[in-house]
């Protein structure tokens, strides 16, 4: 339920007492830490891998190129990092969120 009042908007959930008890018992599932991985942003074909394992990369440098819908998408480093392992090979077809490489 969303409550809007005098320019303030609040999202809330309304439960019966029994559902509130059960909701309190539900574990919170945290999203996985993907900060040390390069994931494929869309289904596509790996055209090239521009780095090698153990290589130090500066922010903005090209890591890989993925072709999707007849367009080449250049994947660049968001920050300075070291390449740990490369999981994908050129010519390989990847799904969304497939791991291309991991960082050290």
């Amino acid at each position: 339920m969303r409550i809007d009042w005098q320019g303030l908007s609040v999202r809330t959930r309304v439960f019966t007492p029994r559902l509130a008890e059960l909701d309190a018992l539900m574990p919170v599932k945290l999203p996985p830490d993907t900060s040390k991985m390069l994931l494929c942003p869309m289904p596509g074909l790996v055209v090239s891998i521009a780095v090698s394992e153990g290589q130090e990369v500066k922010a903005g440098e090209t890591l890989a190129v993925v072709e999707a819908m007849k367009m080449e998408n250049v994947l660049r480093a968001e920050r300075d990092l070291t390449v740990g392992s490369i999981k994908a090979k050129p010519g390989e077809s990847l799904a969304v969120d497939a791991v291309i490489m991991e960082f050290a």
Side-chain angles (χ1 to χ4, degrees), residues 1-77:
M1 175 185 285
R2 188 175 87 188
I3 300 170
D4 294 311
W5 185 68
Q6 293 185 349
L8 180 67
S9 180
V10 178
R11 292 183 59 95
T12 185
R13 299 185 305 180
V14 179
F15 293 122
T16 63
R18 177 65 180 148
L19 284 179
E21 290 173 16
L22 294 173
D23 185 60
L25 299 174
M26 295 297 294
V28 177
K29 184 176 180 183
L30 299 174
D33 179 22
T34 59
S35 64
K36 294 194 174 219
M37 297 180 206
L38 175 64
L39 303 177
C40 190
M42 64 204 73
L45 183 74
V46 178
V47 175
S48 65
I49 303 288
V51 294
S52 58
E53 291 183 6
Q55 180 177 342
E56 291 185 10
V57 180
K58 300 289 181 196
E61 288 185 30
T62 301
L63 298 173
V65 178
V66 175
E67 180 184 309
M69 297 173 36
K70 301 192 185 215
M71 292 183 65
E72 290 189 356
N73 300 287
V74 179
L75 305 178
R76 300 183 189 279

